[in-house]
Amino acid sequence: MNIRNFSIIAHIDHGKSTLCDRFLEICGLTTPLLKEGQALDQMSLERERGITIKSHPVRLVYKKPYDQYILNLIDTPGHVDFSYEVSRSLSACEGVVLLVDATQGVEAQTLSHYYLAKENNLKIIPAINKIDMPNARIDIVKEEIIKLTGIENISLISSKNGYGVNDLLERIIKEVPPPENNIEKSLKALIFDSHYDPYKGVIAHIRVFDGKVEKGMKIMLYSNKKVFEVIEVGIFELDLKEKEDLKSGEVGYIAALIRDPKDINVGDTIIDSKRPDTEPLAGFKILKQVVFASIFPNVPEGFESLRKSLDKLYLNDPAFYYEPEDSISLGPGFRCGFLGSLHLDIIQERLEREYNEDIVVTYPSTKYKVILTNNEEIEITNPSKFPDPSRILEIKEPIANIKIITPSEFIGNVMKLLEMRRARFINMEYLDPKRVVLEYEIPFSKIIYRFFDDLKSVTHGFGTYDYSITKWEKGDLVKVDILINGKQVDALSFITYSDEAYRKSREILIKLRKKIPKQLYEVILQSKIYGKIIARESIAPLRKDVLQKCYGGDVTRKRKLLEKQKEGKKRMKMIGNVEVPQDAFLSIIELD
Amino acid sequence: MREISIYIHIPFCLKKCKYCNFYSIEILNEKNYFDIFIDSLIKEIKIWFSKLNNLRIKSIYFGGGTPSIIHEKFYEKIFNEFNKFFDVSDIKEITIEANPETVEKLKFKELKKLGINRVSLGVQTFNDNFLYELGRVHNSKKIFEAMEILKSIYENINIDLIFGISGENLKILENDLTKALYLEPKHISIYNLEFHKGTKLFDDLNIKKIYKWSEIKEKRGYLFIRNKLINNGFIHYEISNFSKDGFQSIHNLNYWLGGEYIGFGPSSYTFFKNTWYQNGNLHFYINSLDKNDLPFLKREILSNQKINKILFILNLRLLSGVDLNKYKDLDDKFYEKLNNLIKEGLIIKINNKIHLSIDGILVSNRIFSDLL
């Protein structure tokens, strides 16, 4: 069969999107307009960040004098938070190009993606990109790749000027095995991604392993047993292109008027509804959100608009979850779950930029497992929903295995950074004489906020990391509440280690003191653990404001001014009788 | 019969003071506008009053700018026009604002003859350095000379003072008050220096050339002024205003009690039949009246509820307090806020009257924005 299903795996910025563009060009798919940017990165945010968030497949036709090949290039997202999506995309392929930047070398995501490809038994073709750059270190990077993969045949390319790209394509055709042809079996197709179309509903991106799928067929989604009738089948060119059917080995899409994105789960298997006993493909799991934060409209009137925006956003990113939340301090909003902190950043930015939402995002937290005295285990994703301490037997927190690659001169810095974040050393290995892989175990809560920035700053921008959550461990954790004039502020509650509680709550109180303007009366700020006050600050009342004069002409001018102040006040939240500016609720975010 | 007050804005000054955010023009450039301005003003008066009847005029107030800068012959024209519509001699209070450098005996005698019976003198401070710093044209000597002239003609004189000047302390403030009291005015308005955006003083503050008094110092300064004036027989009747018994400003009381007023002249404001009007600047003003149009730049009709709140807040400025029976249209939220302020001791309720406490006066601006 003249089909090759493959993917390119690389660390961020190693030139994957440019290489995709070259492949497209060779196969005559790019238009000059698209040449500007990178054809497969759809979202503006992706372009700006230079990373691909959503995988997006494309079907290429590679013509040789006597032959032609169909190449399904399945693009993968390139960031830590999306490793499950990467792994599903990879399982739709038979081979990968492992792309490494000649100026950077093997990085954390190169490692993790390589291991994912190996787990999936894929043919791996290593390639070094950007070999034309003046600071390319081809030999060293070659050594690194050989050490990692044991493969000595490494393609040297420059996707920018096209050098070696044709040969690489030839190599893919020669080395990546064609898909098995199981057309006689009953339908089995893998969902590796989806997007939403307002007319056709959810469009599932699929790889057919067994049998075929065609228009009018009734299919079943294995995980939820829901049955839908296929209304359209097709393949990916730069747009969707309708086709008769998709057969064993092919990659394409189906539409079946599926209205709820929740029904389509990445990794799920599509089967024929007449053959419900078909065995599913291995490796499916429901995506688990690990980072949680609340999103509130800046003014209460913004709630409905925010809901609509989240609904829309969700259609194209069912990996995040949201449900309405009514906060005592911040009013109506949503509690949201994300795959990681980058995922949170992306959702936040898309809400702000694409949907023009004016929002407040609270401090991100992870999920905790609380074992109650009756041995019941509950999951807590919102500190304010923590059970009463008298009912808690123990609290377990997620622990991540983290791998960091850094130039060896920064080992000390990185170790210090990790140890400050309560990480435990596991292993250290030299990739090459100048670069090291450090492996640690770290409480996941310690890497969801600002870890990336801190790592970059202690390694002068060279450090990279990847992680996976491996286990749950009992932790000496407490919930800290913040009170303003005796009223508990739910949005400021947080969970921390008991030996950090005092320092952290003091810092928050001091921040709050600076951010809350003087009121007409004294304001008392307190932090509390299990009913015990552990820190206190106060804001003296306003003693004197400007004594403004007010005569005929002043009436209108003053009123305008007072009304303006009032507009500003709308952005304040009332906690009891205290006006608290929105940004005070973010005080907690500025902590380590 | 409808009772109204009249305000006339004379938007000319010799030199603009550094703290001033009122509409005024330095006359060096604009002197030629005097005649045409007065013609426009006469026309404006004509248009307004030929539409209205059955009016009683409570007061007239010439403000500025520096109203004393223009020649008395112009006032004669204005008064002649007024007398076509009502008898100026029936009006209890007619005030003109003056700056010391413009006070001349003959001029003010003429003005008295026309019917002006109250002068408000812009003294600000007796400290020559500060006068210079504030961009005032006069010095302290001029103040004494001006007062001597005015007192020989007028009984009812107000002096305006400012406190809170960078470099000033309580000792200097006391000196100002002593000198002011020595001049025996019947009325003293004393203002906390404000730094308005767009003024030179605001810029000076931003580049830290000058500084602002601290909260505590301002509080002490204000209480010091209040005690000193009360001890000298003055009645504290509005946040910034003190007077001898019987000399409260009729014109300004009209503002605070929610009375109607018509403003004439560029950039002046009118409150009439639940509507606020604002006139345009000098050019707009002259052009509109040239076409026989009233020179309104803006017109705002507000809901009764809103007007009630505004009038309530204005009324609260008076130490005599607000009669709750007069304000019936206020919502529950408003009363809840009032009750909170009463609990905090910032507002005092006696029978059905609401007053600012002294602590309340000190944070009155915040209270007003709370209540609005």
Side-chain angles (χ1 to χ4, degrees):
Chain A
M1 212 194 279
N2 285 357
I3 295 179
R4 299 293 180 270
N5 297 317
F6 75 105
S7 183
I8 304 169
I9 53 178
H11 191 76
I12 306 162
D13 276 344
H14 281 201
K16 188 175 69 178
S17 298
T18 320
L19 178 59
C20 290
D21 283 359
R22 283 301 91 78
F23 285 163
L24 262 61
E25 219 172 77
I26 290 169
C27 300
L29 254 191
T30 337
T31 64
L33 232 168
L34 278 161
K35 237 174 166 178
E36 277 269 317
Q38 296 153 339
L40 297 185
D41 287 355
Q42 291 176 304
M43 293 189 271
S44 63
L45 197 63
E46 290 186 345
R47 290 228 173 128
E48 237 164 87
R49 294 195 166 205
I51 56 166
T52 308
I53 297 156
K54 293 285 291 175
S55 29
H56 177 225
V58 69
R59 175 182 155 120
L60 305 168
V61 181
Y62 182 62
K63 293 193 171 95
K64 308 234 295 178
Y66 304 103
D67 237 344
Q68 74 173 30
Y69 289 85
I70 289 162
L71 306 175
N72 289 307
L73 167 52
I74 295 166
D75 202 6
T76 57
H79 191 276
V80 271
D81 292 345
F82 303 94
S83 62
Y84 176 70
E85 293 196 318
V86 175
S87 101
R88 291 308 86 198
S89 294
L90 294 185
S91 61
C93 303
E94 274 78 31
V96 295
V97 173
L98 179 70
L99 190 69
V100 182
D101 187 326
T103 67
Q104 309 285 329
V106 169
E107 300 276 21
Q109 266 102 70
T110 324
L111 286 187
S112 60
H113 290 180
Y114 165 73
Y115 289 121
L116 284 175
K118 229 178 133 188
E119 265 170 40
N120 280 293
N121 290 318
L122 305 185
K123 172 69 193 174
I124 293 163
I125 301 174
I128 298 179
N129 191 17
K130 307 192 190 176
I131 56 162
D132 56 330
M133 297 283 278
N135 53 341
R137 302 172 293 131
I138 299 168
D139 289 338
I140 296 172
V141 174
K142 249 187 184 170
E143 283 307 311
E144 285 180 1
I145 294 173
I146 294 169
K147 193 170 174 195
L148 176 67
T149 64
I151 304 167
E152 305 220 343
N153 183 6
I154 298 168
S155 297
L156 299 180
I157 65 165
S158 162
S159 31
K160 208 168 119 210
N161 62 28
Y163 175 86
V165 176
N166 250 316
D167 294 344
L168 180 59
L169 212 50
E170 292 281 344
R171 218 186 136 188
I172 291 166
I173 288 163
K174 212 188 299 165
E175 295 182 22
V176 173
E180 267 180 53
N181 189 347
N182 295 321
I183 185 76
E184 71 290 344
K185 292 192 184 171
S186 75
L187 173 67
K188 204 185 272 187
L190 170 78
I191 302 171
F192 61 87
D193 197 5
S194 69
H195 73 268
Y196 193 84
D197 180 283
Y199 303 106
K200 299 171 195 163
V202 183
I203 310 275
H205 302 188
I206 60 166
R207 152 76 196 265
V208 182
F209 282 89
D210 295 348
K212 67 170 184 177
V213 59
E214 58 196 346
K215 194 170 163 177
M217 185 176 176
K218 288 225 167 74
I219 52 154
M220 180 186 275
L221 303 170
Y222 188 84
S223 70
N224 54 29
K225 307 286 182 243
K226 288 194 179 169
V227 173
F228 295 94
E229 185 180 327
V230 176
I231 58 153
E232 189 179 320
V233 174
I235 50 167
F236 301 100
E237 291 192 346
L238 279 180
D239 281 318
L240 302 186
K241 195 178 165 201
E242 204 172 340
K243 200 174 168 277
E244 283 286 289
D245 56 19
L246 288 173
K247 295 193 187 76
S248 166
E250 285 192 290
V251 170
Y253 70 90
I254 58 160
L257 295 177
I258 301 167
R259 288 294 160 197
D260 187 353
K262 267 196 201 82
D263 287 337
I264 290 287
N265 291 299
V266 168
D268 200 0
T269 307
I270 293 176
I271 57 173
D272 186 341
S273 70
K274 283 185 240 143
R275 303 287 302 275
D277 54 337
T278 313
E279 280 293 307
L281 297 155
F284 171 70
K285 56 179 181 185
I286 295 269
L287 272 182
K288 282 258 164 76
Q289 290 85 14
V290 285
V291 168
F292 296 83
S294 300
I295 299 181
F296 294 94
N298 217 338
V299 287
E301 301 83 78
F303 179 79
E304 270 313 309
S305 158
L306 177 59
R307 178 205 290 281
K308 280 185 190 139
S309 298
L310 285 169
D311 286 347
K312 274 189 218 154
L313 195 54
Y314 172 73
L315 293 177
N316 280 310
D317 186 359
F320 92 95
Y321 122 106
Y322 60 109
E323 61 175 23
E325 175 190 6
D326 208 359
S327 159
I328 303 158
S329 43
L330 288 165
F334 296 89
R335 188 69 181 170
C336 305
F338 309 90
L339 299 181
S341 43
L342 177 90
H343 192 206
L344 161 61
D345 281 358
I346 289 164
I347 299 281
Q348 178 176 358
E349 281 196 54
R350 290 189 66 188
L351 282 172
E352 284 168 346
R353 276 208 249 163
E354 290 171 36
Y355 297 91
N356 272 323
E357 293 293 340
D358 192 5
I359 51 172
V360 173
V361 180
T362 62
Y363 186 59
S365 162
T366 185
K367 179 171 13 184
Y368 294 93
K369 285 184 179 166
V370 177
I371 321 265
L372 300 175
T373 43
N374 62 5
N375 283 321
E376 194 192 330
E377 184 183 287
I378 53 171
E379 284 190 347
I380 299 291
T381 58
N382 190 344
S384 68
K385 303 267 153 62
F386 230 67
D388 187 82
S390 64
R391 291 175 55 214
I392 297 176
L393 204 58
E394 65 179 54
I395 303 166
K396 285 181 178 165
E397 60 171 338
I399 304 290
N401 179 288
I402 186 168
K403 284 198 178 78
I404 292 171
I405 296 184
T406 174
S408 47
E409 58 194 294
F410 304 121
I411 292 174
N413 292 352
V414 174
M415 286 184 155
K416 207 171 133 199
L417 172 73
L418 287 163
E419 270 145 33
M420 269 171 59
R421 292 182 183 242
R422 307 176 92 99
R424 290 185 299 260
F425 177 81
I426 294 180
N427 192 19
M428 179 167 98
E429 205 179 324
Y430 276 83
L431 263 182
D432 65 51
K434 285 189 170 162
R435 298 196 326 137
V436 173
V437 190
L438 287 163
E439 190 180 348
Y440 272 76
E441 250 180 15
I442 187 166
F444 180 63
S445 64
K446 289 288 183 184
I447 54 172
I448 58 179
Y449 193 70
R450 270 219 217 127
F451 181 75
F452 180 68
D453 295 342
D454 288 353
L455 178 66
K456 285 286 169 197
S457 87
V458 302
T459 59
H460 295 194
F462 291 110
T464 58
Y465 78 102
D466 204 312
Y467 70 87
S468 56
I469 292 174
T470 49
K471 59 179 172 187
W472 293 78
E473 248 182 29
K474 186 183 167 185
D476 184 12
L477 295 155
V478 289
K479 175 197 172 204
V480 180
D481 291 320
I482 302 292
L483 288 78
I484 298 180
N485 271 3
K487 281 237 158 58
Q488 185 176 322
V489 187
D490 53 358
L492 289 176
S493 293
F494 62 99
I495 292 163
T496 189
Y497 300 93
S498 58
D499 58 351
E500 292 180 15
Y502 176 73
R503 177 183 62 83
K504 274 198 172 181
S505 54
R506 265 218 86 73
E507 282 174 25
I508 289 183
L509 296 188
I510 289 168
K511 287 233 161 69
L512 283 176
R513 195 188 64 198
K514 286 182 186 151
K515 283 187 175 162
I516 299 176
K518 284 190 176 178
Q519 314 273 317
L520 291 173
Y521 7 81
E522 186 180 29
V523 178
I524 309 286
L525 308 169
Q526 293 163 307
S527 68
K528 187 173 88 172
I529 298 178
Y530 300 156
K532 210 177 116 204
I533 302 295
I534 59 165
R536 182 188 190 277
E537 286 284 333
S538 70
I539 303 168
L542 185 70
R543 276 180 235 282
K544 191 192 152 295
D545 206 342
V546 209
L547 290 170
Q548 290 178 323
K549 57 183 171 215
C550 190
Y551 300 106
D554 297 321
V555 178
T556 307
R557 280 189 290 182
K558 276 271 119 112
R559 178 170 57 82
K560 294 268 153 76
L561 217 74
L562 292 178
E563 273 170 0
K564 233 173 152 182
Q565 283 171 15
K566 208 175 173 178
E567 268 309 300
K569 269 194 199 169
K570 265 197 187 163
R571 304 195 143 229
M572 303 259 214
K573 299 285 176 188
M574 294 299 289
I575 305 288
N577 54 358
V578 182
E579 285 168 3
V580 183
Q582 296 275 20
D583 74 331
F585 293 100
L586 306 181
S587 306
I588 184 168
I589 288 190
E590 286 147 26
L591 297 179
D592 295 332
Chain B
M1 185 171 293
R2 218 175 181 105
E3 293 199 326
I4 60 157
S5 287
I6 291 172
Y7 175 81
I8 296 149
H9 194 71
I10 313 288
F12 305 107
C13 280
L14 276 175
K15 185 172 157 243
K16 184 134 182 144
C17 301
K18 279 186 171 181
Y19 54 87
C20 176
N21 69 332
F22 283 92
Y23 180 63
S24 73
I25 297 160
E26 296 189 355
I27 55 161
L28 291 176
N29 313 316
E30 311 276 347
K31 213 160 189 166
N32 321 336
Y33 277 119
F34 280 8
D35 281 297
I36 188 162
F37 161 69
I38 294 296
D39 289 346
S40 302
L41 181 61
I42 299 292
K43 210 177 218 176
E44 192 187 14
I45 294 169
K46 208 184 290 256
I47 297 173
W48 262 106
F49 287 109
S50 50
K51 282 184 191 165
L52 301 171
N53 47 46
N54 219 7
L55 280 185
R56 197 184 77 80
I57 311 300
K58 286 207 267 190
S59 62
I60 299 177
Y61 194 102
F62 292 94
T66 310
S68 52
I69 213 171
I70 57 172
H71 197 272
E72 54 271 28
K73 71 176 183 199
F74 292 122
Y75 284 97
E76 207 179 323
K77 273 189 163 179
I78 297 168
F79 276 86
N80 282 341
E81 192 59 34
F82 278 150
N83 277 320
K84 290 182 191 163
F85 299 101
F86 46 82
D87 191 350
V88 170
S89 61
D90 287 346
I91 301 169
K92 279 220 185 78
E93 184 187 281
I94 304 177
T95 308
I96 184 169
E97 285 180 347
N99 279 329
E101 70 277 6
T102 59
V103 174
E104 297 156 36
K105 197 156 194 169
L106 282 176
K107 182 190 259 185
F108 276 83
K109 268 192 169 161
E110 283 306 309
L111 293 176
K112 179 84 189 280
K113 272 189 213 153
L114 290 173
I116 289 174
N117 55 18
R118 185 172 182 267
V119 180
S120 176
L121 188 67
V123 168
Q124 318 313 355
T125 168
F126 291 87
N127 182 304
D128 284 344
N129 285 332
F130 293 157
L131 284 169
Y132 177 79
E133 290 295 328
L134 295 175
R136 301 287 296 177
V137 178
H138 62 91
N139 57 19
S140 59
K141 193 166 158 254
K142 262 269 169 288
I143 299 171
F144 288 100
E145 287 169 11
M147 268 309 266
E148 202 183 313
I149 295 170
L150 291 176
K151 276 167 78 181
S152 69
I153 310 167
Y154 296 87
E155 186 197 9
N156 192 353
I157 299 171
N158 165 61
I159 64 179
D160 276 352
L161 293 174
I162 282 177
F163 78 102
I165 303 163
S166 179
E168 186 186 11
N169 55 32
L170 290 189
K171 192 92 200 146
I172 300 173
L173 178 59
E174 183 177 17
N175 187 37
D176 269 359
L177 289 174
T178 309
K179 286 182 175 154
L181 288 168
Y182 166 81
L183 293 174
E184 295 184 313
K186 291 288 188 280
H187 191 284
I188 294 178
S189 301
I190 183 152
Y191 305 117
N192 196 170
L193 185 59
E194 292 178 47
F195 301 86
H196 294 286
K197 216 175 159 178
T199 63
K200 281 185 186 149
L201 219 57
F202 180 84
D203 299 337
D204 285 354
L205 187 68
N206 268 341
I207 58 165
K208 301 214 159 89
K209 195 175 155 194
I210 55 168
Y211 64 86
K212 208 168 171 274
W213 280 22
S214 71
E215 234 178 60
I216 296 195
K217 190 172 168 186
E218 277 187 345
K219 178 179 172 174
R220 282 175 58 200
Y222 181 75
L223 295 178
F224 174 76
I225 293 163
R226 179 181 140 86
N227 285 337
K228 178 123 182 161
L229 294 182
I230 288 174
N231 288 339
N232 281 277
F234 280 84
I235 297 161
H236 187 195
Y237 75 101
E238 194 263 355
I239 293 174
S240 308
N241 286 280
F242 299 82
S243 80
K244 292 276 170 153
D245 195 15
F247 286 93
Q248 298 185 348
S249 163
I250 294 170
H251 187 80
N252 290 334
L253 276 174
N254 183 56
Y255 291 139
W256 299 318
L257 289 169
E260 293 182 317
Y261 51 90
I262 299 174
F264 296 92
S267 259
S268 66
Y269 290 82
T270 295
F271 175 54
F272 193 70
K273 293 190 177 169
N274 282 356
T275 307
W276 270 274
Y277 304 85
Q278 186 195 346
N279 280 355
N281 68 15
L282 187 60
H283 291 266
F284 184 90
Y285 180 80
I286 290 170
N287 285 332
S288 305
L289 286 160
D290 193 44
K291 287 179 263 169
N292 289 316
D293 294 331
L294 282 175
F296 297 143
L297 187 66
K298 284 181 203 155
R299 183 198 313 246
E300 223 178 345
I301 304 168
L302 298 174
S303 68
N304 278 337
Q305 173 108 347
K306 187 116 201 177
I307 290 174
N308 254 324
K309 278 189 188 174
I310 295 165
L311 299 189
F312 186 100
I313 287 166
L314 279 170
N315 196 338
L316 197 54
R317 301 185 68 91
L318 292 173
L319 273 77
S320 56
V322 180
D323 185 352
L324 281 178
N325 295 323
K326 255 178 78 184
Y327 297 91
K328 294 244 160 76
D329 247 358
L330 302 164
D331 48 34
D332 292 349
K333 221 173 150 189
F334 190 86
Y335 286 112
E336 193 190 313
K337 285 181 191 166
L338 270 186
N339 283 330
N340 278 334
L341 293 163
I342 290 168
K343 246 187 265 160
E344 295 295 332
L346 299 171
I347 278 183
I348 301 165
K349 191 177 173 193
I350 305 169
N351 299 326
N352 216 20
K353 259 190 148 183
I354 294 280
H355 308 258
L356 285 174
S357 69
I358 295 301
D359 284 339
I361 289 175
L362 290 163
V363 291
S364 50
N365 214 37
R366 270 292 270 281
I367 292 177
F368 299 149
S369 77
D370 233 38
L371 290 176
L372 193 66

